Amino acid sequence: MNLEQAPSFCLPRLDDGSEVCLEKYQGKAVLLSFWVTWCPACQEDLPQKEVFARSIDDSSFAFFTVNVTGREADPSKVPEFIRHHGYQFPVLLDDGRRTYDSFQIPSVPYSILIDPEGCIVGRYDEHTPFIRIVEDIGRILG
């Protein structure tokens, strides 16, 4: 099976502005979850991702949410949204829609699972039960 290589990116973290580059996570599985503040399905999805983020072992796995700033009505409201909900998962800020578009994402919320070799091994929309994503992560971490 031919696996698609994940597009490379470097995005700033919302909390401290430090840059996160996908290539630095080679050798780890990575889950990216794309979202926006105004999306009802995202608002249902993010609390599950928060519980998940607090329970993972980050020695072999990395998890990031990506706010698609180019789809936000007002990107300046994102920090307050995160604070209001008490989310502690890492939030990356997309460069408009550049990363969202480079992964060919059709909608939000949407998650991408990348294996330790940097290949996309899972694409999940709002209809995918979160347990399936967790099972797929378990499978690639073996």
Side-chain angles (χ1 to χ4, degrees):
M1 172 166 86
N2 268 350
L3 292 176
E4 174 190 357
Q5 195 68 29
S8 101
F9 65 82
C10 291
L11 295 173
R13 286 180 63 123
L14 175 66
D15 58 359
D16 64 9
S18 65
E19 194 173 64
V20 171
C21 297
L22 182 60
E23 65 200 26
K24 291 181 184 161
Y25 293 88
Q26 196 77 12
K28 288 188 177 195
V30 178
L31 181 67
L32 302 172
S33 288
F34 292 80
W35 62 278
V36 292
T37 57
W38 52 261
C39 155
C42 296
Q43 291 174 25
E44 287 178 31
D45 184 57
L46 291 174
Q48 293 180 88
K49 301 285 171 63
E50 176 68 17
V51 170
F52 172 72
R54 290 176 188 225
S55 67
I56 60 171
D57 166 13
D58 61 5
S59 63
S60 58
F61 181 76
F63 170 64
F64 299 101
T65 68
V66 181
N67 177 256
V68 187
T69 59
R71 294 199 58 195
E72 287 287 0
D74 184 354
S76 72
K77 293 191 172 159
V78 173
E80 177 52 33
F81 176 86
I82 293 296
R83 256 191 317 279
H84 174 76
H85 292 284
Y87 294 139
Q88 294 178 14
F89 49 63
V91 177
L92 306 181
L93 299 173
D94 199 353
D95 178 12
R97 293 173 47 132
R98 184 171 298 173
T99 306
Y100 175 85
D101 289 343
S102 72
F103 278 94
Q104 302 170 345
I105 294 173
S107 61
V108 286
Y110 201 87
S111 294
I112 301 276
L113 181 58
I114 302 166
D115 73 9
E117 288 75 50
C119 294
I120 296 174
V121 292
R123 291 178 168 273
Y124 313 96
D125 66 14
E126 67 191 85
H127 303 293
T128 307
F130 190 59
I131 189 68
R132 183 169 147 229
I133 300 172
V134 173
E135 288 168 348
D136 288 354
I137 293 166
R139 237 186 322 283
I140 65 167
L141 292 177

